[in-house]
Amino acid sequence: MKGLAGKIRIFVKNFLDAIIFGTFTGVIFFYIFSVFFGIANRTKLSLISSAGILLVFNCMGIVLALLVTMKRAPHRFDPDLIGDCFTGVGKNARLFRNALKIFEIGNYPEVINRLRAIEERGLSDRELSVIYFYIARSYHIMEYFPNALKYYEMSAEKGMEHDVLKFLTARCTGELGDADKAMELYTAILNDEKSELRGLVRSEIGKMLLSREEPEKALKWIEEAIDLHENYAENLGNAALCCAMLGSEKAEKYYRLAMLNHISEPGAFADYYKNVSESYREKSDTASKE
């Protein structure tokens, strides 16, 4: 019954949107027709004729709008995540699509403002889960991690169950310093054989532990990812950093392999690897002297 009620609500909403948009479209076409008819025939339409023609155009506009709405063309961005939310010709759909266009160009504060404005327009829980996800994503990209985690959790509370949400929640949790909770979330994804993001989890755990300067633990996860050829070049680079921190001779081997396999931004990586190697070598020399 709940599913049927939801479908009825969506149909009524789409129908009302179609009436508004279709009537507006019909009026525009009527005025265009009237102008061309007047120029071509140099006569004025009677009141009854005008009303009849306007009614025809309005009906055509409503039918066209309904067809567009019911077609439910997939979203350009994240269609599997957004699903059937914000489709059609209604104002909420247009506002949401405009917000995503701004998201694409990277104006994240404006995205947040626009999505919050849509939030106030009486949305379903499913629609709110999508709104909260993109607010969270905007905060996350700007590295406002507490705000991002808050909205990721709000999205989940409203019913979003997509793997991407779980993955980003785990990443954000780790970036906030709660490694134990992040490990719990990552492990849940890793144990889910249906998850399409399992191949990224080992790399993420390795990066999280590396950022916490726990190179021995990080290397275990990173080498597992390398053996499985997951995110291969980047993991070779991270393995090189771990080994440099540990003073292992394998550091140079992993470094060369990372460069041969075209790690992203090789120049920046080379400089960072050199700095890490020198820093930990100095720490090791100081410790040995003491």
Side-chain angles (χ1 to χ4, degrees):
M1 288 297 294
K2 186 177 179 181
L4 178 61
K7 289 179 180 178
I8 292 172
R9 182 191 62 78
I10 291 171
F11 176 80
V12 171
K13 178 179 177 297
N14 288 338
F15 184 71
L16 293 175
D17 286 342
I19 289 176
I20 295 169
F21 185 80
T23 302
F24 174 77
T25 304
V27 170
I28 297 298
F29 279 119
F30 171 73
Y31 280 123
I32 294 172
F33 172 82
S34 298
V35 169
F36 280 100
F37 182 85
I39 292 172
N41 296 279
R42 298 184 180 179
T43 59
K44 293 184 179 179
L45 291 168
S46 69
L47 183 60
I48 295 177
S49 299
S50 297
I53 294 170
L54 178 58
L55 179 61
V56 170
F57 277 123
N58 284 344
C59 290
M60 289 171 59
I62 291 169
V63 171
L64 178 62
L66 272 173
L67 289 173
V68 171
T69 300
M70 294 306 177
K71 186 178 179 182
R72 294 194 179 283
H75 282 277
R76 178 182 169 190
F77 307 96
D78 304 328
D80 58 329
L81 189 148
I82 300 169
D84 61 359
C85 294
F86 304 109
T87 56
V89 296
K91 186 170 183 179
N92 287 350
R94 296 197 303 275
L95 291 173
F96 181 74
R97 286 193 292 267
N98 288 336
L100 285 194
K101 288 177 183 177
I102 296 170
F103 183 89
E104 184 183 26
I105 64 176
N107 187 353
Y108 302 114
E110 180 63 18
V111 172
I112 292 169
N113 290 336
R114 293 197 177 212
L115 291 176
R116 281 178 172 166
I118 301 171
E119 178 191 358
E120 304 297 325
R121 294 180 54 83
L123 306 179
S124 67
D125 282 355
R126 178 74 180 90
E127 289 169 332
L128 284 171
S129 74
V130 173
I131 292 291
Y132 293 152
F133 175 83
Y134 281 101
I135 292 176
R137 194 75 191 101
S138 298
Y139 276 128
H140 200 169
I141 293 169
M142 293 190 294
E143 299 187 354
Y144 296 154
F145 302 126
N147 290 13
L149 184 59
K150 171 187 171 183
Y151 277 96
Y152 282 139
E153 291 174 345
M154 288 170 66
S155 179
E157 287 170 4
K158 290 298 181 182
M160 182 172 286
E161 298 179 345
H162 200 283
D163 283 351
V164 170
L165 174 61
K166 299 172 184 177
F167 181 81
L168 292 174
T169 301
R171 176 187 285 176
C172 191
T173 301
E175 286 164 334
L176 279 168
D178 192 347
D180 292 338
K181 179 63 176 177
M183 281 294 295
E184 180 184 327
L185 296 169
Y186 279 132
T187 303
I189 298 171
L190 199 58
N191 291 337
D192 182 2
E193 294 183 359
K194 295 180 181 179
S195 175
E196 297 179 358
L197 299 177
R198 294 178 72 207
L200 298 176
V201 168
R202 294 176 184 84
S203 304
E204 287 292 318
I205 293 174
K207 284 194 294 185
M208 178 183 71
L209 295 171
L210 183 59
S211 70
R212 292 171 59 85
E213 297 191 18
E214 298 180 36
E216 191 169 355
K217 291 181 181 179
L219 187 60
K220 169 186 174 294
W221 288 97
I222 291 168
E223 287 187 326
E224 282 186 21
I226 290 171
D227 290 341
L228 294 169
H229 275 249
E230 295 171 350
N231 201 16
Y232 192 60
E234 305 306 317
N235 278 316
L236 287 169
N238 286 331
L241 294 172
C242 288
C243 290
M245 289 176 164
L246 293 167
S248 170
E249 293 178 356
K250 292 195 297 183
E252 284 298 312
K253 168 193 166 186
Y254 279 129
Y255 171 78
R256 288 194 298 272
L257 284 171
M259 299 301 277
L260 285 170
N261 282 275
H262 308 292
I263 190 171
S264 61
E265 301 183 26
F269 171 71
D271 291 340
Y272 186 61
Y273 171 77
K274 180 180 178 182
N275 291 336
V276 169
S277 298
E278 291 176 353
S279 174
Y280 276 83
R281 193 178 300 116
E282 289 173 5
K283 287 181 181 178
S284 177
D285 291 343
T286 301
S288 61
K289 289 178 183 178
E290 293 176 352

